[in-house]
Amino acid sequence: MAQWVEAEVTENYAWHSDLCSLRVNVPGFDFIAGQFVRLAVETAEGRLQRAYSLVNAPGDSQLDFLLTPVADGKVSPRLHALQAGDRLWVSQPATGFFTLDEVPAGDTLWLIATGTGIGPYLSMLATNEPWQRFGRIVLVHGVRQVQDLVYRERIASWQQHYSDQFHYQPVVTRESHPDALQARLPQLIQNRQLQQAAAAQFDLTSQVMLCGNPEMIKAVRAELEILGLRKNLRRTPGHITVEQYWN
């Protein structure tokens, strides 16, 4: 049964006015990269909670959450307004099965996200497991505007350290950027622009993780199934592992 731990905010880092990284001090917090917890705030209506994936590496004493406020939300605007020294509640243990130990073996690992769905991938890439298991790793981040491309320094360090193994591909739909593709992800797969940019293919040696907007997941999965890939289930291992992550 989940329990609650009271924790202190150490930083609210604003990427821009509607996107922040909320950092919280919880020493000794154990989890598997890709899992999530619930964050809660006390209000006149009682304790209100919402699920968020952990962005930090397992073993870090500072937990990191990437969040954007939902205009009519009861929890996310309150979390977005927290500052260093404020208190909130964190559920434990972490939970969820969007983890690499649920992903079968393969040659290429595609990590495809929209918006804040990039969070669990950053946690995974901070561990040794993906680098040891897969010969090629492609991180695809789809956003509306360039300002939504977060954690660029961290990603650049992986690009430098794993230059022959790792490819980062930003996709920005509403403005142009020299390093980014500019179209919807299903279209980029259908016309093979994504594969060409990443110098990698979607085939039966691929493993694909999808995290983000449910409509993106549905459309991208349909394109991948045309290419012969199938959803990964414990009883019938496949190639596509999904996490609907809408915030």
Side-chain angles (χ1 to χ4, degrees), residues 218-239:
K218 180 180 178 181
V220 168
R221 180 181 167 186
E223 292 297 331
L224 296 177
E225 289 178 345
I226 291 172
L227 298 175
L229 280 66
R230 295 291 178 263
K231 186 174 181 180
N232 177 42
L233 301 170
R234 282 184 171 179
R235 63 180 181 274
T236 53
H239 315 91

Side-chain angles (χ1 to χ4, degrees), residues 155-176:
I155 293 169
S157 70
W158 292 322
Q159 288 176 296
Q160 181 178 6
H161 191 73
Y162 301 102
S163 57
D164 296 330
Q165 187 180 8
F166 178 64
H167 179 84
Y168 167 62
Q169 185 57 60
V171 176
V172 183
T173 57
R174 295 191 178 178
E175 57 183 319
S176 60

